[in-house]
Amino acid sequence: MTKHTIFLLASCFLIAISCKNQEAIQVYETQKLIEVDSMAVVTAHPEASKIGLEILEQGGNAVDAAIATNFALAVCYPIAGNIGGGGFMIYRDSSGQVSALDFREKAPRRAFQDMYLDSDMNIVKDASTLGALAAGVPGTVAGMEAAFLKGSRLKDWTKLLQPAIDLAENGFKLTSRQAKNLNNNQRKFRKANMNTSDFISRKSFKAGQLFTQKDLANTLRLIQSNGADGFYKGLVAEDIIECMELQGGIITAEDLENYTAKWRDPIAFDYKEYRVFSMSPPSSGGIVLAQLLNGIEPYPISDWGFQDPRSIHLMVEAEKRAFADRSVHLGDPDFYTVPVDTLISKDYTLKRMETYDPDKASLIDSISTSTLESEETTHFSIIDQWGGAVSVTTTLNTAFGSKVVVDGAGFILNNEMDDFSSKVGEPNFYGLVGAEANKIEAEKRMLSSMTPTIVEKDGKLFMIVGTPGGSTIITSVLQTIVNVIEFDLDLVDAVHNCRFHHQWKPEFVFLEDGCLPNDTRKALSALGHKLKSRSSIGRVEAIMIDENGISAVADNRGDDDARGK
Ligand code: GLY
């Protein structure tokens, strides 16, 4: 491969629009595939990718770039990028040491099990998704500080914050998707806030419009000067508390002061000659991914082929069983003993797959939960010039989280409390059901599906992958990995091809609109699967390293962009 050569997929993808009464405006050029030798960043927004790459070029490592990228996404991708939310990081340093960082939100101290139920024990509509009561204690800023202390090469926090501050102060141009998303959420923003903010406008937001966030720039400056204390204490904390008091939330100063991010052991398991590292509880991602790969490993799926009904049937059946387990066994390990070793063992999955019938879809109610007892998140993948790798997934939960903008501080609070099981057996926003393990408890972290993942082949770094998409995160990561290592697809095809998803309940195999030829659909229906079309699934950002160098692919389902050199 020619050094520093960038191959654009076909040609540059132009983020262009054709809105009513507007001429098409080309806002950014994005790269969907790059092939490079030294370093790469793939994110959901070109401004964030650009900032991440600049930090790498200035001698920063993957952790430095991740911190700058994460703060940049909080500015230029406010639908999911955040300082008012949380997330997870898998970090493999250049010596091959892998660690997992948990900066998931926590339930406030005043939270309790039935807090979203009315006196008849029915779920109060929107209570866990819209408004201040839906917010968990944010974890992102503490997470970035923890990553900085452990892994930064530049050791210059000020420098890592500056690009995001400039972006907030000077503004960036909205893409058509962003303008549309903001316009579509105006009613909810108004309902969730007593004051106006940068996210509320009397006129429609337009593609190409400069979007500045002066309050957010000031908040980022406080974080720049004071580290995490600039968020969890002082003026920003006071703004959050005031917002809670005015708008019916329950986060207190004590909740903010007590928040800490945690380093945890990643979920690590082997799949054939590959070693996979992914997120441990309180995310379900790593465990469910292990169960899915363990479930398909004994079968000749590569002989069956990509999108063959036999391959899809097998994956769907593994998904039903793993998601059934998720609903019962997974929760915050600080509150509930998660049987990690059992769940990720090959023997356990083999037993679960004993009822797998190659000729017939199992009915979801026949899959017992074993007795061992707008999907808006964002992912980015980074590799640095020393082979250090970071895989980060972060979120406010649904689009723009709780829609609450902290007055004076300019950032949006998450609605992550909806990821708890508000009532046993009742589906949350993603249709996921849960029970005791994931019930609401004070200071507990809510269960997640985020699956930032790093794969090694023969002991060497091979893939960095992850995606947004709520419950579909895990199955999208699975398909991307399997597409590469079993179906031999190149990374672009592995990421850009259509996806399917099953999560035990509801009963459907969800397919992206237009996904799969009619014959394949018919074959799946004949096996007894109920198929349901839906909008796009996931936005995978993936990097692959092989003997030819580094390939980085941004999903073509959004404004996502890959940069490197
Ligand atoms: N809020 C989505 C997740 O954490 O899975």
Side-chain angles (χ1 to χ4, degrees), residues 443-516:
E443 296 198 271
K444 186 178 181 181
R445 286 162 153 97
M446 54 296 285
L447 187 60
S448 171
S449 299
M450 290 189 269
T451 314
T453 297
I454 289 179
V455 183
E456 288 176 352
K457 184 179 183 186
D458 303 324
K460 293 201 189 104
L461 179 62
F462 177 62
M463 268 181 103
I464 311 165
V465 60
T467 180
S471 49
T472 68
I473 289 175
I474 314 172
T475 50
S476 295
V477 170
L478 169 78
Q479 285 167 82
T480 309
I481 294 173
V482 169
N483 286 350
V484 169
I485 68 187
E486 290 290 5
F487 301 133
D488 214 16
L489 265 52
D490 63 35
L491 195 62
V492 172
D493 285 342
V495 171
H496 290 188
N497 258 299
C498 70
R499 303 191 186 109
F500 57 90
H501 171 75
H502 203 298
Q503 61 181 48
W504 178 51
K505 287 183 180 177
E507 199 172 7
F508 303 106
V509 181
F510 291 99
L511 298 168
E512 287 184 301
D513 282 331
C515 186
L516 301 182

Side-chain angles (χ1 to χ4, degrees), residues 270-275 297 456-459 485:
D270 293 322
Y271 177 80
K272 300 186 177 171
E273 71 266 42
Y274 301 88
R275 184 142 186 85
E297 192 171 20
E456 288 176 352
K457 184 179 183 186
D458 303 324
I485 68 187

